[in-house]
Amino acid sequence: MTISSENSENSENSENSVNPTASERSRLTADEKIALTGGRDFWHLHEVPSQELPSIMVTDGPHGLRKQSSEGDHLGLNDSEPATCFPPAVGLAATWSRETAAAVGRAIAEEARSQQVSVVLGPGINIKRSPLCGRNFEYFSEDPHLTGELATAYVDGVQEQGVGTSLKHFAVNNQETDRLRVSAEVDERTLHEIYLRSFRTVVTRAQPWTVMCSYNAVGGTLASENPFLLTEVLRDQWGFEGLVVSDWGAVADRGRAVAAGLDLQMPADPAGEEDLRAGLENGTVDQAAVDRAAGLVEQLIRRSVENLSEAETEIDVEGHHQVALEAARRAIVLLQNDGILPLDVPAGGGKDPGAGGSGTGDACTGPTPLAVIGDFAATPRYQGAGSSRVNPPRLTTALDSIRSLTGTEVPFARGFEPGKDADAGLQGEAVDLARRTAEAGGTVLLFLGLGEDVESEGYDREDMELPAAQVELLEAIRQVTGRVVVLLSNGSAVRLPAAVTAAPGVLETWLLGQAGGEAVADVLFGRANPSGHLAETIPLRLEDTPSYLHFPGDHSRVRYGEGLFVGYRGFDALGTEVAYPFGHGLSYTTFELGDLAVTSGADGLDVTVTVTNTGERAGRAVVQAYVSVEGSTVTRALRELKGFGDVTLEPGASEQLSIRIPREDLQFWSVVDGTWVVETGTYAVDVGFSSRDLPLRAEVEVLGDEPTPVVDTTWTVGEVMALPAAQAVLAPLFAQMPIAEDPEMQKMIAQMPLNRLSGLGGLDRAMIQQLVDAVNAAM
Ligand code: BGC
């Protein structure tokens, strides 16, 4: 059986798939087919020697390779082969750069090829519903558009090299609390528009070789046994042509799972084979489902073997470090700056920015005494804990990089020990250093953040606070100097106390991978101009976040009560003040936007805007386009990100930027029609540099594709009267009624279903039906 691509929304890449013919598959024995639906061990699939199918290896992912040659585990406990550690998704997302995501994907694939790894288990694209999700560092954004675009670029980057990806965790895996059992209860529209939307984008545009189902249940059914997710949505609606693999240990019963659409249970589990055999015997599993699963595993193996047969064993270690460095530079978000940044390079200091430097190094402008304070400067937080942990061959620290860039032994004090209470000795030393630096007219660079024990796969954060010992240290330092630049390392939003937001310079550096130290130094000294933007809102308080009252649920059930209003959609709908809005990010230069033009065509909207660098330094501008529909017939967020692009400009230079908004990105999920619909109406496109800095607006008319409704007697008078075709039929009738002149009465009547008008104003059931028929005929 081949998987039909008839319903594929975009099967552009389908010609790359290797579909074994029916006769090839029929050569597999019944036992071989069953064996293929499960792993051979922790990281390998089964071989079938009679069919010359070797055992292939899959490996985490997503921000570097975690190939375990000895004992395997999925919790990041045992070591893996050295591999470049790129910025985790939290950092990659802050670049807002498809080009960067693709470059990282290509480099990871080269490493996978050199290690004979067939599939990289990533990217992870679940939506950041709450800042508390322990795995947010592995996910991109609170927004499905940004997530989908960057993940598509990453998947294309990896797969171009003949290595597969595993789009995970499908689906609605937005918390770690009770992750193996919890059922996510999400309304239909929110499910499609928010939680499945980015999966749809990546599946339809990039056809990942595999999709990994999540641990949790959705609507009461485990994702691994969920026919709605694994078959109806993924295959029938989106035309997915690849294989569905389970998350490690997500399968409770392989028979039920294969029947629902799962193809491969990982890791090895002999009980799974028994379950599948039992299902076949008792008729709850069709042989066709086993044929499908085994066929897709065979297809994956053949495709991979073909692609890996000529793989190089050498990789360009330095080149990949440079890719990681450029990604890290682009990921850093300048939250605020009163002019304290960039710092001057002390006289006599200054290294060559080197290959890949996007910076604009100043000439040396004289010494600025500096002090580096905070443990993270010397022992960086550069990735999260759990199955994604990479073992990098080298690791740069901010302290070393600052010393090497400035050519001076910049003094350092640890200030605190991550995960520990305030230490009077460490704090005292740091405050003394800050005082001496202030007396010499210098600047303190203070590195704060979350420890690895706080953010991890497997459990959620308890709060969104910076550790108290660090806040205490900052407050003590601020008693002796105001010249403090705060640099934050964390995998998801933290609450920023007043002492942080009052600092003259604040950089959110997220988690930056192995080259983060150099990237931080380059940005501090203006060798690179910061261009990262927030992929998640930084709220003022946890209590303000839209999911607050509904996270993480109880009794293994979590109700997504905020509905569509996740992240900025919720903050904007309520007008809630935030610390920094979604999309925010400053630069050392200034940009201006002009000449906005939006045209509406059959394929979507075309946005053009002129970007001018009005400042003194070269830099990259990230331009964002948000769409809203005035007077929409359905509940909508105030505005939604639907397009973005970037352009790098020299001082004074201008360039026209084009942003395409494909028609499918204008769709909403109609619960009435059970399908995606573009609504007819006036669409506003707001363009700017963050969700709350949108200086330009243009409006266009869009002709929708709403299915012609079939009116029946359960419709209200108001609903029927809203149809232009109905007005001509019904208006004369209502004009004769005494209510015609009474606006209150009209409002009341508008709420009444037609079938409740029987007996009123001389109407009976037959007349009402005639009216309904007349309305339907008029449409
Ligand atoms: C994680 C997956 C990972 C797998 C294999 C699981 O615990 O949820 O993301 O790919 O382990 O390590």
Side-chain angles (χ1 to χ4, degrees), residues 62 120-125 138 140 151 154-155 165-169 202:
V120 176
L121 301 176
I125 64 164
E138 268 189 78
F140 288 81
Y154 173 101
V155 168
T165 54
S166 199
L167 194 66
K168 67 189 188 183
H169 308 89
V202 185

Side-chain angles (χ1 to χ4, degrees), residues 132-137 176 454-457 459-461:
L132 300 187
C133 172
R135 244 180 143 171
N136 272 358
F137 66 85
E176 293 299 282
V454 182
E455 292 176 299
S456 171
E457 173 177 346
Y459 53 92
D460 290 321
R461 278 154 78 193

Side-chain angles (χ1 to χ4, degrees), residues 721-745:
M721 289 297 278
L723 301 170
Q727 282 166 15
V729 178
L730 295 183
L733 176 81
F734 289 118
Q736 291 164 18
M737 294 189 172
I739 56 160
E741 299 302 317
D742 183 341
E744 281 79 34
M745 209 36 134

Side-chain angles (χ1 to χ4, degrees), residues 515-538:
E518 280 162 276
V520 163
D522 286 348
V523 164
L524 280 172
F525 292 94
R527 294 292 170 101
N529 193 345
S531 62
H533 286 250
L534 295 180
E536 59 198 280
T537 308
I538 304 184

